[in-house]
Amino acid sequence: MRRNVMSFCLLMLTVIMQAQITNPVHFKTELKTTSGDMAEILFTAMIDNGWHVYSTDLGQDGPIEATFTAVKLNGAELVGKLQPRGKLTEQYDKMFGMKLRYFEGKGTFVQTIRFTKPDYAIEGYLEYGACSDEMCLPPTQVEFKSSGKSPVALAKPEKDEKAEKTEKAESTEADTVKAVEAEAPTEAEPSIEEASKDMDLWTPITSDLNAFSQNENSNSTAWWMIFLQGLLGGFLAILTPCVWPIIPMTVSFFLKRNKERSKAINEAVTYGVSIVVIYLLLGLIVTLFFGASALNAISTNALFNILIALLLIVFAASFFGAFELTLPSKWTNWIDQKSEKSTGLLSIFLMAFTLTLVSFSCTGPIIGFLLVAVSTQGSIIAPTIGMLGFAIALAIPFTLFALFPSLLKSAPKSGGWMNTVKVVLAFIELAFALKFLSVADLAYGWHLLDREVFVSLWIVLFALLGSYLLGWLKFEHDDESRHIGVTRFFLALASLSFAIYMVPGLWGAPLKAISAFTPPMNTQDFRQYQQGSVEARFTDYKQALTAARAEGKPVMIDFTGFGCVNCRKMEAAVWTDPRVEDILNNRYVVVSLYVDDKTPLPTPVTVTETDGQQRTLRTVGDKWSYLQRTKVGANTQPCYVLLDPRTGKPLNGLRSYDEDIDGYVEFLQTGLDNYKQ
């Protein structure tokens, strides 16, 4: 069993590391005759959760809009422009300063055509842009080809009219052919790879990038963090009124029921193992029920974030004492009766299950908060790892007190301090609920939780928490004692100090300690804190490498796009940090390669993709997008790559959308260290 679990974990780790090429949109093309000599070219998109495809006619200053380009029209002509069909979502985007329209889930683009000859041949492509909350695709093309007999063959049999129409159609075809020939190269153009071979511009480095990722072992670190989160949640659950009083009762029961202490210890250990198994099964159920795609949607979908925030608010209200979350009593009674009638291991397992049901009012909100937190990691294994940590922490005291019964005498007695633990957890859950609401607020452009509002609410929450710990604020279930313990005093001091630390953030201070939780700096209206800026010196890859070799500096490639929302977010939230600005402006040669640059290439170039399919590169953006796919093995933006210009080899792994400034600084510094070596 253990070997199978480890094999599964290694398999998931490998998949995550190799999954750089993203394909969240799947198109189906169709030519559908409507009436007479009219027909429609249908491009139907199935869109993965968390992604959206932008509609048509968004404007020049917006993201990548959907367009249809005809390469060959023989026996047909276009009627009107490309039109969207289906349910469109419309919202105001502050980054672009305009309303954006896009499809989610499913959408169709329709290009109407009219047949002009009995035989037709049509070639063209749909170009579209797609984004999630964290990354964007470059302009992506969907090819369309169709030929055959058209309804015109039966429309007008008269010779004179037919001859006249044929003459006009041939004239139109001749004009079209001339236009296409004007774009086509007169001689065989050497491939991009051959033209740049001396600079190693196009040599793939995906294996080197994967090696960096394996050495960093970032996913394993994340899983350890998830395990520690679960462990902390389990220890907090022990201190609640629903669990702590049960520990001495359960241990005493095992000791009294068995005359031999060794047997009592065995039963207590079995009881602890049963707790681990129960909560581990809960994690597995959540994993199997949601699956990897749904867990990832939780972190990217605005509606999921709203539901999560509401769930945390309900949990917080329960811990404050507004109501009690309980499971149906008949469940508890039924399990309790079964445990009394059963014997051996089954009896002990049912006793552990009874504890799970009885303590739900206290452990439920903690488990719910834990599952919410780990689900946003997007990993299919995360809930199971989190529940494992939670269960181990919860099982430790039962086993420990059974091994050393004398410790029960020195254990703290049940009392009002346990309610204090619940209230503190309630404040923390409210703070995290604001984080999830902030994600939805940014996605929908409501501007209800801009940075200064978010920071203000956190200041109030942690100031109230400090006041509560000092006894200045009380809730219904708190005792009347005015005694403040040393531990409680230091916790109050930390909470109030944290609230004061956040105050300068109202005027634009960066607040590095919580930068991963607060909304981006560009959402704050009033800022006295002056931020720097980073501007790429080059927009051509070869020029950047040449300059970097001459200056003796490494290169940072910024695969970006004019219509990439998340790229602008990174530039506003991360590149404006003084540390990042200093490193990029003074110690790197930065080149921004825009994958949606519509500047035509001198001559179109036909290339072969890694999957064996051929594609024609017509624009500068096509060229940089092809470079990203072949050299880096990725196709989403933003994407940051650190290169040694002397060898063309990477200096660190890939980095994409992540507003963790400290992590970005470490990413850049590691590249500099490797360059020196």
Side-chain angles (χ1 to χ4, degrees):
M1 177 65 179
R2 183 180 300 174
R3 182 176 300 173
N4 292 337
V5 172
M6 289 300 296
S7 299
F8 178 70
C9 292
L10 290 174
L11 176 62
M12 288 302 300
L13 180 61
T14 303
V15 170
I16 292 172
M17 288 180 175
Q18 294 178 348
Q20 299 291 345
I21 295 293
T22 301
N23 185 26
V25 186
H26 311 276
F27 270 95
K28 181 180 71 173
T29 60
E30 177 185 5
L31 179 65
K32 182 178 180 181
T33 304
T34 53
S35 62
D37 57 354
M38 305 295 289
E40 293 178 341
I41 303 175
L42 303 177
F43 296 89
T44 303
M46 301 301 296
I47 309 166
D48 291 352
N49 289 336
W51 285 82
H52 52 267
V53 173
Y54 290 108
S55 183
T56 59
D57 299 321
L58 298 180
Q60 294 183 351
D61 297 328
I64 303 164
E65 61 185 17
T67 57
F68 178 78
T69 301
V71 178
K72 178 181 180 181
L73 283 176
N74 185 358
E77 62 183 8
L78 301 182
V79 179
K81 300 170 65 177
L82 184 72
Q83 299 293 328
R85 184 178 295 173
K87 183 180 179 182
L88 280 171
T89 299
E90 183 174 346
Q91 71 173 32
Y92 180 81
D93 188 277
K94 185 176 180 180
M95 189 67 65
F96 287 106
M98 61 191 300
K99 284 188 176 181
L100 300 181
R101 302 183 307 279
Y102 51 82
F103 287 115
E104 291 182 319
K106 183 179 180 181
T108 302
F109 295 102
V110 182
Q111 176 62 61
T112 303
I113 64 169
R114 178 186 290 111
F115 294 113
T116 59
K117 294 176 62 176
D119 298 312
Y120 72 91
I122 303 172
E123 292 184 17
Y125 60 89
L126 169 76
E127 186 172 78
Y128 69 94
C131 287
S132 70
D133 290 341
E134 295 184 350
M135 61 186 69
C136 293
L137 294 178
T140 308
Q141 297 175 359
V142 181
E143 301 288 341
F144 176 82
K145 290 184 180 181
S146 180
S147 60
K149 296 287 184 180
S150 72
V152 174
L154 303 176
K156 293 183 179 181
E158 293 82 357
K159 291 184 179 180
D160 53 347
E161 294 183 4
K162 181 177 180 181
E164 181 181 354
K165 194 166 186 178
T166 301
E167 183 179 352
K168 291 182 179 179
E170 289 174 348
S171 177
T172 302
E173 178 186 355
D175 293 339
T176 303
V177 171
K178 289 180 181 179
V180 173
E181 288 177 348
E183 296 181 4
T186 56
E187 297 181 1
E189 176 76 11
S191 68
I192 294 177
E193 295 91 332
E194 292 174 353
S196 305
K197 186 178 296 184
D198 60 326
M199 293 287 291
D200 290 329
L201 298 184
W202 302 84
T203 304
I205 57 173
T206 52
S207 59
D208 299 301
L209 291 169
N210 290 335
F212 273 110
S213 300
Q214 292 171 3
N215 291 335
E216 292 168 3
N217 202 11
S218 58
N219 287 294
S220 297
T221 302
W223 291 343
W224 275 108
M225 290 299 296
I226 291 170
F227 177 80
L228 292 177
Q229 290 176 18
L231 203 67
L232 177 60
F235 285 130
L236 290 174
I238 292 172
L239 303 177
T240 59
C242 311
V243 178
W244 186 260
I246 299 177
I247 295 175
M249 295 170 53
T250 305
V251 174
S252 298
F253 171 78
F254 287 129
L255 294 175
K256 291 178 180 178
R257 144 168 134 162
N258 298 287
K259 295 181 179 180
E260 298 181 9
R261 185 167 177 271
S262 60
K263 189 174 182 180
I265 292 175
N266 289 336
E267 289 192 352
V269 172
T270 304
Y271 184 78
V273 172
S274 299
I275 293 174
V276 174
V277 171
I278 290 170
Y279 283 104
L280 194 60
L281 288 173
L282 175 62
L284 288 171
I285 290 172
V286 171
T287 296
L288 295 175
F289 179 77
F290 284 103
S293 60
L295 293 179
N296 184 62
I298 289 178
S299 64
T300 58
N301 187 276
L303 180 59
F304 271 111
N305 279 276
I306 294 174
L307 294 176
I308 289 170
L310 294 176
L311 181 66
L312 292 179
I313 291 172
V314 170
F315 287 160
S318 172
F319 273 168
F320 279 133
F323 49 84
E324 187 172 330
L325 296 172
T326 57
L327 294 173
S329 57
K330 61 180 181 180
W331 292 9
T332 307
N333 296 333
W334 185 80
I335 294 294
D336 194 31
Q337 292 173 4
K338 289 292 183 180
S339 64
E340 291 179 356
K341 295 179 181 179
S342 304
T343 58
L345 295 178
L346 179 60
S347 173
I348 297 174
F349 181 83
L350 292 175
M351 285 179 61
F353 201 76
T354 304
L355 168 70
T356 305
L357 298 178
V358 170
S359 62
F360 176 78
S361 60
C362 292
T363 60
I366 299 175
I367 294 172
F369 175 69
L370 174 65
L371 290 177
V372 163
V374 301
S375 294
T376 58
Q377 301 288 332
S379 169
I380 194 172
I381 312 175
T384 305
I385 295 176
M387 284 297 96
L388 177 62
F390 181 89
I392 290 176
L394 199 63
I396 283 176
F398 293 96
T399 306
L400 186 64
F401 287 133
L403 292 172
F404 308 101
S406 59
L407 293 178
L408 282 172
K409 298 179 181 179
S410 58
K413 303 298 181 183
S414 301
W417 62 270
M418 291 184 291
N419 187 68
T420 301
V421 174
K422 290 177 62 177
V423 174
V424 170
L425 289 174
F427 277 108
I428 294 174
E429 292 197 338
L430 277 182
F432 277 93
L434 289 173
K435 165 60 180 173
F436 290 106
L437 281 177
S438 172
V439 174
D441 180 71
L442 289 170
Y444 286 116
W446 296 330
H447 304 294
L448 299 176
L449 275 178
D450 286 345
R451 189 175 184 271
E452 64 268 27
V453 178
F454 183 94
V455 173
S456 298
L457 290 172
W458 266 40
I459 291 173
V460 172
L461 278 176
F462 284 95
L464 288 175
L465 174 57
S467 301
Y468 171 78
L469 291 171
L470 290 175
W472 301 341
L473 176 68
K474 290 186 178 294
F475 290 90
E476 182 180 356
H477 298 290
D478 291 320
D479 56 29
E480 297 299 326
S481 174
R482 294 185 176 274
H483 176 71
I484 302 297
V486 175
T487 302
R488 188 163 175 168
F489 171 78
F490 279 110
L491 289 175
L493 182 64
S495 182
L496 291 173
S497 300
F498 182 56
I500 296 173
Y501 161 79
M502 291 187 287
V503 170
L506 299 176
W507 289 271
L511 302 181
K512 305 298 183 183
I514 59 171
S515 59
F517 299 96
T518 58
M521 185 69 74
N522 64 291
T523 65
Q524 183 148 338
D525 297 325
F526 180 67
R527 296 201 300 266
Q528 286 187 338
Y529 176 78
Q530 297 299 321
Q531 297 177 344
S533 61
V534 176
E535 293 186 6
R537 292 170 52 191
F538 298 94
T539 56
D540 182 85
Y541 182 37
K542 183 176 181 179
Q543 292 176 2
L545 283 182
T546 303
R549 287 177 173 178
E551 298 174 17
K553 294 180 180 179
V555 174
M556 190 189 83
I557 308 175
D558 166 33
F559 287 104
T560 183
F562 295 113
C564 174
V565 179
N566 301 301
C567 303
R568 304 293 85 77
K569 290 180 180 179
M570 284 293 291
E571 292 163 9
V574 179
W575 282 18
T576 52
D577 181 82
R579 295 174 296 167
V580 176
E581 177 197 6
D582 176 66
I583 295 175
L584 290 181
N585 283 339
N586 300 320
R587 306 180 69 181
Y588 276 94
V589 172
V590 180
V591 52
S592 290
L593 304 181
Y594 290 85
V595 298
D596 54 358
D597 189 338
K598 297 298 182 183
T599 304
L601 292 172
T603 54
V605 180
T606 300
V607 296
T608 302
E609 298 279 4
T610 54
D611 57 2
Q613 295 185 353
Q614 287 192 337
R615 181 184 177 188
T616 301
L617 308 182
R618 300 179 176 88
T619 66
V620 172
D622 291 343
K623 176 182 177 180
W624 301 140
S625 179
Y626 176 68
L627 170 67
Q628 185 185 9
R629 292 193 304 276
T630 55
K631 186 175 184 66
V632 178
N635 67 334
T636 59
Q637 295 78 47
C639 178
Y640 307 105
V641 186
L642 307 180
L643 283 186
D644 186 334
R646 301 164 299 188
T647 63
K649 297 294 184 180
L651 299 170
N652 204 344
L654 288 179
R655 190 169 183 88
S656 55
Y657 178 82
D658 187 350
E659 294 185 16
D660 178 10
I661 297 176
D662 291 333
Y664 200 86
V665 171
E666 182 181 356
F667 163 73
L668 297 175
Q669 189 60 51
T670 301
L672 291 173
D673 295 340
N674 291 332
Y675 179 74
K676 292 177 182 178
Q677 295 175 7

